[in-house]
Amino acid sequence: MASTDEKNLAGYAAADMEKTSSNDAFDHGGQRKGSVVNAEVLTGEIYDHRYESTKRGLKSRHAQMIALGGTIGTGLFVGSGQTLARGGPAFILVSYIFMAFLVWCIVTGITEVAAWLPTKGSSMNMFGYRYVSRSLGFAMGWLYWYSLGILVPYEITAAGLVIDFWNTPVNIAVWISIMMVIIVGLNALPVRFYGETEFWFASLKVFMMIGLLLLSFILFWGGGPTHERLGFRYWQNPGAANTYLEEGNTGRFLALLSTLVLSAFPFTFAPELLVATGGEMVSPRRNLPTAARRYFYRLIFFYVGCVIAIGILAPSNDPALTDRGAGAGSSAFVVGIRNAGIHGLDSVINAGIIISAWSSGNSFLYLSSRSLYSLAVTGNAPSFFKACTKGGVPYRAVACSSLFCVLAYLNVGTSGSVVFNQLVNLTNTSGFISWVCCAIVSLRFFKACEVQAITKDQLPYHNKWFQPWGSYVAIVGFVFLTLINGFNVFWPANWSVSSFLTAYIGWVFPSEHFALEGVSLTPHSIPIFLVIYFAHRIYAHNDPWAHDPASVDLHTGLEEIEAEETPAPVYDKWYEKMRVVFE
């Protein structure tokens, strides 16, 4: 049996040979043939021993808690207030159930993909590169990098707006700077520190959500200071469903469409965090499936439970949800608590929301930097970004991704609600595009497994109830949501050529169209993604549109991963399971 060092040396030599000689991966002109992503290429790019690499510092408890609450932030606690105001309690509930179903279809698919080969640099763009095409991996990677990078200042901006709840005399630029330093500082530390901080941050979010759900239950039955039973009164007055752009059934239908689009934001890029942590997780083939199974409870308990609660606590026509909510819309939980006459608790909840924003910003910067690192590892970004510290931090990728944070300072000189909605619109469509691509990657992986006789029993994770049909449903659902993201520009009162181009192409016209409600003023992700993808297709014009399933490499790196796997701890007594919190 060859030693690890011998294997590493052999891998490095193979990589060097692949890069310097004319072998099967290249034609006589020195061009890569037919999108060959074979063992030599993967060994040389993923296991490049000239550089330090990321370390597996995330423990099982880190992975499980990150899966439960990692990216729950202001999108759920604050943004849901705007969504409630747009659609009403019935439409927001239907929309969140629909989104939870589609996202679960994505989670089950990408977990099958990621749990099979969770190599260092694990990300959906890496798997798109391995299982579909170099062009798809390239486009997905850069989509993740800029979209996730933009989400960091979004969370910082939203947290700053929540701080305005206390009418503090301190300029918001001070709060932005403090939060920025904390987020960047945490990402500059080894991943075990990220895992530890996220474990406690996510725990706080989980306990806060449980407390809010209990509070809504108590107020439902009249357990508040006034002993006034809320019940489902707000479903009757102002009503279960609102109208948008028009009155009557047409207006209610348009409100439902708009609510569907707005409800996507709290879910955005949360499934991809599972995949990214797989590359730095201890025993990922065991822990990733466990985290994915628990993700189901997150979708049902936190997301669906949240919107049921806010439909009980706050009326959808409360002006604090949109106008007096510091511009970006205050938390529906805070609005409901104040309306119930509970003093002091609203400040506690706002403090928890700010911590949630820090936590989510921390996770999004982690994801953005790891996307850039993964691009470098697969040869789709300069190898400069491969560099890691001895502690496994891709410090150059972290530093580059941290530059997005300065966008938060736009809030100092611009209306906070404008910045908020601009960032939401861009990342909404990025999320839809990502999930369509994730479903495609899953389907191509399933096809490669079928052709190469890898059975479902061999996979560390397989959900027979949702895959592969769930991936097809997700593609249809998210393509539909992408197309209706700017549908309001087609309404006669909003229609113009410039507003259409702004909403669907991303061109901004500095005119009266800035005042159009719901019209995107940011560069749109659809043309950005397509430009990146087809530019790479032109560069790699000899590549097929998708790898031949029979030639997809499903084995490089598997031996190393299996060698690092450890069995799950066994506890004889039920109370011994509490040790997992500290292990």
Side-chain angles (χ1 to χ4, degrees):
M1 182 71 66
S3 68
T4 302
D5 289 341
E6 289 171 340
K7 290 178 183 177
N8 290 345
L9 182 61
Y12 181 79
D16 186 62
M17 181 181 296
E18 190 275 331
K19 292 179 179 179
T20 58
S21 64
S22 177
N23 55 25
D24 291 340
F26 295 87
D27 62 20
H28 295 295
Q31 298 294 318
R32 190 193 293 263
K33 293 195 305 182
S35 185
V36 174
V37 181
N38 55 25
E40 290 80 14
V41 173
L42 291 170
T43 301
E45 292 178 341
I46 297 176
Y47 297 99
D48 190 341
H49 300 286
R50 295 172 299 176
Y51 298 91
E52 292 283 348
S53 64
T54 55
K55 309 296 182 186
R56 295 196 181 275
L58 293 176
K59 300 178 181 179
S60 177
R61 64 184 177 91
H62 297 153
Q64 311 315 321
M65 192 55 71
I66 289 171
L68 281 176
T71 56
I72 293 178
T74 52
L76 182 63
F77 289 119
V78 179
S80 58
Q82 283 188 318
T83 310
L84 175 65
R86 177 62 56 85
F91 283 168
I92 191 175
L93 177 59
V94 169
S95 298
Y96 268 64
I97 292 173
F98 178 69
M99 284 301 307
F101 168 72
L102 290 182
V103 170
W104 180 240
C105 290
I106 294 296
V107 169
T108 53
I110 66 177
T111 304
E112 289 194 36
V113 175
W116 174 252
L117 268 176
T119 58
K120 294 178 179 179
S122 175
S123 64
M124 284 313 297
N125 54 285
M126 174 179 282
F127 296 126
Y129 165 83
R130 289 191 69 156
Y131 303 142
V132 183
S133 70
R134 290 194 297 150
S135 295
L136 185 66
F138 181 86
M140 287 178 70
W142 289 109
L143 173 81
Y144 287 144
W145 177 69
Y146 75 76
S147 298
L148 291 161
I150 286 173
L151 279 172
V152 181
Y154 159 76
E155 291 292 346
I156 293 173
T157 297
L161 294 169
V162 172
I163 291 174
D164 280 351
F165 173 83
W166 290 291
N167 296 317
T168 173
V170 180
N171 190 287
I172 193 171
V174 176
W175 304 120
I176 288 173
S177 300
I178 292 173
M179 287 182 281
M180 189 184 304
V181 169
I182 293 174
I183 289 173
V184 175
L186 288 173
N187 274 271
L189 297 173
V191 72
R192 67 179 182 275
F193 293 100
Y194 164 78
E196 199 64 38
T197 55
E198 277 306 297
F199 175 81
W200 294 108
F201 277 153
S203 299
L204 176 64
K205 287 187 277 189
V206 168
F207 286 123
M208 185 171 74
M209 183 60 73
I210 292 173
L212 290 171
L213 293 177
L214 288 174
L215 175 66
S216 66
F217 180 78
I218 292 170
L219 293 177
F220 180 93
W221 296 106
T226 62
H227 301 291
E228 186 178 9
R229 184 178 178 274
L230 288 180
F232 288 104
R233 66 168 57 182
Y234 297 133
W235 286 63
Q236 298 175 346
N237 183 25
N242 294 342
T243 59
Y244 178 55
L245 297 176
E246 187 62 81
E247 297 300 321
N249 291 333
T250 301
R252 280 185 281 274
F253 176 70
L254 295 176
L256 175 60
L257 291 182
S258 183
T259 305
L260 282 171
V261 172
L262 290 174
S263 67
F265 185 72
F267 298 85
T268 304
F269 297 118
E272 290 87 337
L273 180 60
L274 273 175
V275 177
T277 55
E280 298 179 67
M281 184 187 297
V282 174
S283 299
R285 299 189 102 216
R286 169 169 57 86
N287 287 319
L288 261 179
T290 303
R293 293 185 190 100
R294 293 180 182 178
Y295 199 92
F296 177 80
Y297 301 107
R298 165 181 171 163
L299 290 172
I300 299 301
F301 186 74
F302 295 127
Y303 287 96
V304 177
C306 167
V307 295
I308 293 175
I310 65 175
I312 292 170
L313 292 174
S316 61
N317 63 350
D318 194 310
L321 294 174
T322 53
D323 297 327
R324 290 191 290 107
S330 67
S331 168
F333 287 110
V334 173
V335 171
I337 289 168
R338 298 184 76 177
N339 291 345
I342 303 175
H343 301 292
L345 186 58
D346 51 357
S347 293
V348 174
I349 299 304
N350 263 314
I353 292 173
I354 293 168
I355 293 174
S356 297
W358 275 339
S359 170
S360 295
N362 193 32
S363 292
F364 289 135
L365 182 54
Y366 170 83
L367 278 169
S368 180
S369 63
R370 288 339 185 246
S371 297
L372 184 56
Y373 172 74
S374 181
L375 281 166
V377 164
T378 54
N380 287 322
S383 59
F384 174 83
F385 294 112
K386 281 186 182 182
C388 294
T389 65
K390 290 184 178 181
V393 179
Y395 63 96
R396 291 172 180 169
V398 170
C400 184
S401 299
S402 298
L403 296 176
F404 282 105
C405 293
V406 300
L407 292 176
Y409 288 112
L410 290 173
N411 190 51
V412 177
T414 308
S415 168
S417 59
V418 174
V419 176
F420 189 98
N421 287 318
Q422 287 175 347
L423 299 178
V424 166
N425 189 274
L426 178 63
T427 51
N428 246 8
T429 50
S430 295
F432 297 151
I433 294 168
S434 168
W435 290 329
V436 170
C437 293
C438 285
I440 292 171
V441 172
S442 299
L443 292 172
R444 296 304 298 175
F445 172 77
F446 300 152
K447 184 65 176 178
C449 288
E450 179 185 346
V451 170
Q452 298 183 34
I454 295 176
T455 65
K456 302 300 183 185
D457 293 335
Q458 292 176 267
L459 298 175
Y461 175 84
H462 174 62
N463 190 309
K464 64 181 180 180
W465 300 106
F466 281 86
Q467 295 301 333
W469 67 267
S471 294
Y472 290 105
V473 171
I475 290 173
V476 174
F478 289 123
V479 167
F480 170 73
L481 289 172
T482 301
L483 294 177
I484 69 169
N485 189 50
F487 77 91
N488 50 357
V489 301
F490 295 103
W491 206 247
N494 291 346
W495 170 255
S496 72
V497 174
S498 59
S499 61
F500 168 78
L501 293 175
T502 298
Y504 281 95
I505 306 300
W507 295 351
V508 178
F509 295 85
S511 65
E512 69 277 5
H513 301 295
F514 274 97
L516 291 179
E517 181 183 6
V519 176
S520 167
L521 301 179
T522 54
H524 207 282
S525 286
I526 297 174
I528 294 174
F529 178 81
L530 293 178
V531 167
I532 294 172
Y533 176 80
F534 284 107
H536 192 275
R537 281 293 306 162
I538 294 171
Y539 165 76
H541 57 276
N542 291 327
D543 288 10
W545 288 95
H547 302 315
D548 180 358
S551 66
V552 167
D553 187 347
L554 293 172
H555 300 285
T556 298
L558 183 59
E559 184 178 350
E560 290 85 349
I561 293 169
E562 289 179 329
E564 294 175 348
E565 287 287 310
T566 58
V570 178
Y571 302 105
D572 297 327
K573 307 292 184 181
W574 66 268
Y575 55 81
E576 290 181 345
K577 294 183 179 181
M578 294 298 295
R579 289 161 45 194
V580 74
V581 176
F582 303 102
E583 290 180 345

